[in-house]
């Protein structure tokens, strides 16, 4: 990596000034009112090195709806609970379809392609539900234990809106149940899934919470995971499946394992060096933050820091 840490504050300011001309190119998620109401012109970025040094720019401490980034934490928790048994029920391949598609699920007998499309994430949630007395509390506590922030909880307003408009997710869960890949009751699993999508975190929380993925499973806030080499396995999935239908292009432009959400957040890791989170609510047609992707591309470009 071509970078002295002392150069980072200036570099982050430079990235900030180079991405803000992109305001207005994308559009905030509009499928639920609490997301469409978010001020679109916001940008934050936080980077945390494995030695604990942190650098931020913009609104790095502003909490936002992490949406599908929660699929990453749910996956880590499910792997921690059931280990490789999870892979009997979910695949590890890119889907090549929209994240909430039903077509492939029917064709492939109820085994979702990967844990980051909705069908896969609902199976992951089902796993947590069936092994926990209070699944949502368990996930909240898990995330707080990774980020060190006990205020990482679900937002009730976002949750109600998710539940009210979740027709496709309900269809997916019902199809999973019909095809024999959902152990819990549909309503119970969906309730937990919607709450998980409604979790609120800041860039700084996310950069801290993904430290273990950059640091061979070690986290400053939490002791080792049970699963062996969680970082290697989760990073591989993020690289191939973490950005909806744009994972290939993101790997090309940025070259870091990452996971995005329609709240406008993206987390990414450079194994052995740092975890980084960006947030800006305006999305491109794939559902990925326009400014967030550009900021990560500039970061890896200016610091020669991709995995490739
Ligand atoms: N809550 C969304 C859903 O399940 C997830 C949105 C996202 O992909 O970030 O439809």
């Amino acid at each position: 990596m071509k970078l002295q840490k002392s150069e980072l504050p200036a570099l982050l300011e430079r990235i900030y000034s180079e991405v803000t001309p992109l305001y207005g190119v994308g559009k905030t998620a509009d499928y639920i009112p609490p997301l469409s109401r978010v001020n679109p012109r916001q940008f934050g970025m936080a980077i945390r090195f494995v030695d604990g040094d942190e650098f931020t720019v913009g609104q790095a401490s502003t909490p936002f709806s992490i949406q599908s980034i929660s699929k990453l934490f749910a996956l880590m928790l499910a792997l921690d609970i059931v280990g490789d048994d999870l892979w009997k029920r979910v695949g590890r391949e890119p889907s090549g379809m929209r994240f909430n598609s039903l077509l492939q699920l029917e064709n492939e007998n109820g085994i979702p392609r990967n844990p980051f499309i909705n069908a896969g994430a609902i199976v992951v949630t089902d796993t947590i539900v069936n092994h926990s007395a209070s699944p949502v509390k368990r996930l909240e506590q898990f995330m707080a234990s990774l980020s060190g922030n006990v205020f990482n909880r679900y937002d009730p307003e976002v949750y109600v809106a998710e539940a009210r408009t979740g027709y496709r997710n309900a269809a997916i869960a019902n199809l999973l149940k019909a095809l024999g890949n959902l152990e819990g009751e549909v309503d119970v699993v969906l309730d937990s899934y919607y709450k998980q999508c409604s979790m609120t975190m800041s860039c700084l929380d996310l950069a801290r919470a993904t430290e273990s993925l950059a640091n061979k499973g070690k986290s400053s806030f939490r002791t080792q995971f049970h699963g062996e080499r969680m970082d290697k396995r989760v990073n591989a999935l993020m690289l191939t499946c973490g950005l909806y239908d744009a994972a290939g292009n993101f790997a090309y432009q940025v070259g870091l394992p990452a996971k995005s959400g329609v709240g406008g957040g993206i987390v990414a890791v450079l194994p052995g060096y740092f975890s980084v989170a960006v947030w800006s609510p305006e999305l491109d047609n794939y559902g990925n933050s326009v400014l967030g992707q550009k900021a990560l591309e500039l970061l890896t470009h200016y610091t020669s820091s991709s995995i490739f």
Side-chain angles (χ1 to χ4, degrees):
M1 190 168 70
K2 275 200 250 147
L3 179 77
Q4 299 296 326
K5 277 198 212 152
S6 57
E7 297 166 28
L8 258 173
L11 178 69
L12 291 183
E13 288 295 341
R14 178 178 178 184
I15 291 172
Y16 191 9
S17 67
E18 289 183 18
V19 297
T20 44
L22 295 174
Y23 279 142
V25 171
K27 173 161 124 6
T28 46
D30 55 8
Y31 70 98
I32 50 171
L35 290 187
S36 64
R37 276 200 307 266
V38 172
N39 171 9
R41 301 202 168 202
Q42 302 190 78
F43 175 84
M45 186 164 186
I47 180 163
R48 179 181 169 93
F49 286 83
V50 292
D51 63 6
D53 283 350
E54 293 177 335
F55 301 86
T56 63
V57 70
Q59 283 139 299
S61 300
T62 304
F64 61 89
S65 188
I66 68 167
Q67 290 293 331
S68 275
I69 299 176
S70 66
K71 294 179 167 89
L72 173 63
F73 300 114
L75 171 65
M76 289 162 77
L77 179 56
L79 283 173
D80 212 32
I81 297 172
V82 296
D84 283 338
D85 280 352
L86 182 69
W87 306 121
K88 294 179 185 152
R89 302 179 56 195
V90 192
R92 297 188 295 255
E93 296 296 340
S95 74
M97 296 231 154
R98 275 195 69 76
F99 71 101
N100 56 8
S101 167
L102 284 139
L103 285 174
Q104 206 166 45
L105 191 61
E106 166 93 71
N107 283 337
E108 299 185 357
N109 302 317
I111 304 295
R113 277 283 176 105
N114 68 67
F116 294 150
I117 54 172
N118 284 13
I122 289 170
V123 170
V124 168
T125 302
D126 182 44
T127 305
I128 298 170
V129 166
N130 292 313
H131 287 84
S132 315
S134 311
V136 177
K137 257 211 171 61
R138 187 169 188 182
L139 186 65
E140 284 178 328
Q141 279 165 358
F142 179 71
M143 286 165 50
S145 76
L146 291 174
S147 68
N149 183 355
V150 292
F151 295 106
N152 292 158
R153 305 225 179 94
Y154 82 87
D155 176 335
E157 198 194 346
V158 177
Y159 155 66
V160 168
E162 290 286 342
R164 215 172 259 157
T165 57
Y167 304 111
R168 266 187 176 273
N169 290 320
I172 290 170
N174 277 292
L175 189 54
L176 284 166
K177 189 78 182 170
L179 294 171
N181 197 11
L182 203 79
E183 285 173 27
E185 291 306 321
V186 166
D187 290 351
V188 175
V189 176
L190 281 174
D191 189 70
S192 200
Y193 174 76
Y194 295 138
K195 286 176 177 155
Q196 158 189 325
C197 288
S198 310
M199 296 279 181
T200 295
M201 294 172 91
S202 68
C203 290
L204 202 48
D205 294 329
L206 285 168
R208 289 175 179 167
T210 47
E211 177 188 0
S212 63
L213 300 177
N215 199 17
K216 292 213 181 301
K218 288 190 219 78
S219 157
S220 312
F221 300 97
R222 183 193 161 89
T223 46
Q224 206 85 5
F225 297 100
H226 300 126
E228 215 183 298
R229 290 304 312 271
M230 172 89 77
D231 54 313
K232 175 186 163 194
R233 302 185 305 158
V234 172
N235 286 342
L237 281 155
M238 287 206 291
L239 187 74
T240 50
C241 312
L243 271 95
Y244 305 111
D245 252 355
N249 191 52
F250 186 85
Y252 183 87
Q253 302 285 0
V254 177
L256 297 178
K259 181 74 200 87
S260 60
V262 295
I266 308 177
V267 289
V269 296
L270 180 62
Y273 292 90
F274 62 72
S275 46
V276 57
V278 283
W279 169 60
S280 190
E282 292 177 332
L283 311 175
D284 66 12
N285 291 336
Y286 292 101
N288 296 314
S289 170
V290 172
L291 274 72
Q293 290 176 94
K294 190 65 188 177
L296 291 171
E297 182 186 340
L298 293 174
L299 176 72
T300 57
H301 175 69
Y302 289 140
T303 62
S304 300
S305 60
S306 96
I307 62 167
F308 301 110

